[in-house]
């Protein structure tokens, strides 16, 4: 069903059994493995996985509360990073033990975050899209601050207005839990 729903032409497991002259009452794990192997070799399995991954990411990425929880889960691991356990070529990513170095946020991340947050401050919902005011200050901020073990990842970036970003500083501030109504 998933293959068909995603526009892939694989016959499906039951049809594959018929085409392979296998009685559906005699199906074994080996038959299922063989079917998945054929899907893998044809490329259909990876195409399906990529499409489903994209759909799941789209759904999860729009849930800022989930992103906060996800990044808060990662933060303690980052905070435990010391120079001792990190290979020499990766130490350049640390500002100091337990804190990642700040990096410039790529334009694609800014566009993605702006689109997800609909041009609204993630804390106070102020419109900073540029449609209402001509020079809004957009601040791309770490949901979980780097100083608290946050990471430089698109899942840990939010859009804030200048006032909320200055108020937040190096401590976490939470995020808005309001979402745009689709109906």
């Amino acid at each position: 069903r998933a293959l068909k729903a995603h526009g892939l032409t694989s016959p499906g497991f039951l049809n594959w059994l018929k085409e392979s002259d296998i009685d559906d009452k005699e199906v074994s794990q080996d038959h299922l493995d063989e079917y998945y192997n054929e899907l893998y070799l044809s490329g259909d399995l990876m195409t399906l996985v990529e499409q489903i991954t994209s759909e799941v990411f789209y759904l999860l990425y729009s849930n800022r509360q989930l992103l906060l929880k996800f990044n808060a889960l990662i933060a303690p691991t980052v905070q435990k990073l010391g120079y001792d356990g990190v290979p020499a070529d990766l130490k350049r990513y640390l500002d100091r033990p337990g804190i990642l170095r700040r990096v410039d946020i790529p334009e694609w991340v800014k566009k993605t975050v702006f689109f997800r947050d609909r041009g609204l401050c993630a804390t106070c919902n102020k419109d900073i899209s540029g449609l209402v005011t001509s020079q809004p200050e957009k601040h791309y901020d770490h949901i979980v601050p780097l100083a608290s073990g946050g990471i430089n990842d698109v899942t840990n970036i939010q859009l804030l207005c200048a006032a909320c970003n200055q108020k937040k500083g190096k401590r976490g501030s939470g995020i808005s839990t309001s979402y745009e109504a689709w109906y």
Side-chain angles (χ1 to χ4, degrees):
R1 288 185 189 141
L3 291 161
K4 185 177 180 180
H6 286 84
L8 300 171
T9 58
S10 174
F13 185 60
L14 294 177
N15 287 328
W16 178 85
L17 288 173
K18 287 178 188 174
E19 291 173 4
S20 302
D21 289 327
I22 300 169
D23 185 357
D24 61 351
K25 293 177 179 78
E26 298 175 10
V27 174
S28 68
Q29 183 64 44
D30 289 340
H31 294 118
L32 191 57
D33 291 343
E34 188 177 338
Y35 173 69
Y36 280 121
N37 189 46
E38 285 186 25
L39 282 178
Y40 177 77
L41 292 174
S42 72
D44 285 346
L45 184 61
M46 288 311 299
T47 300
L48 178 64
V49 167
E50 288 170 4
Q51 288 179 8
I52 290 173
T53 300
S54 179
E55 292 169 4
V56 169
F57 182 81
Y58 177 80
L59 291 172
L60 297 180
Y61 184 68
S62 58
N63 184 335
R64 290 186 305 266
Q65 195 67 34
L66 175 78
L67 296 179
L68 174 63
K69 290 178 181 178
F70 172 72
N71 282 286
L73 250 156
I74 293 171
T77 303
V78 173
Q79 288 177 312
K80 291 178 187 172
L81 289 176
Y83 288 125
D84 298 338
V86 178
D89 61 327
L90 299 179
K91 286 182 183 176
R92 63 189 167 109
Y93 295 111
L94 290 174
D95 191 31
R96 56 188 181 274
I99 299 178
L100 293 176
R101 185 176 306 281
R102 185 171 301 279
V103 297
D104 289 334
I105 298 172
E107 283 303 312
W108 74 267
V109 171
K110 289 180 180 180
K111 287 178 183 176
T112 302
V113 170
F114 186 86
F115 178 76
R116 181 201 61 212
D117 293 348
R118 306 275 192 243
L120 302 175
C121 174
T123 301
C124 72
N125 285 324
K126 177 182 177 184
D127 184 342
I128 50 177
S129 65
L131 297 174
V132 177
T133 58
S134 62
Q135 297 295 324
E137 280 193 62
K138 297 177 195 87
H139 291 250
Y140 292 90
D141 172 69
H142 291 88
I143 295 170
V144 174
L146 293 177
S148 299
I151 58 175
N152 291 309
D153 183 78
V154 68
T155 64
N156 193 38
I157 304 296
Q158 64 184 345
L159 183 62
L160 294 182
C161 66
C164 287
N165 193 36
Q166 289 166 356
K167 189 177 358 172
K168 176 184 173 191
K170 290 185 179 182
R171 57 181 175 73
S173 66
I175 53 172
S176 169
T177 56
S178 65
Y179 295 94
E180 179 179 344
W182 292 98
Y183 50 90

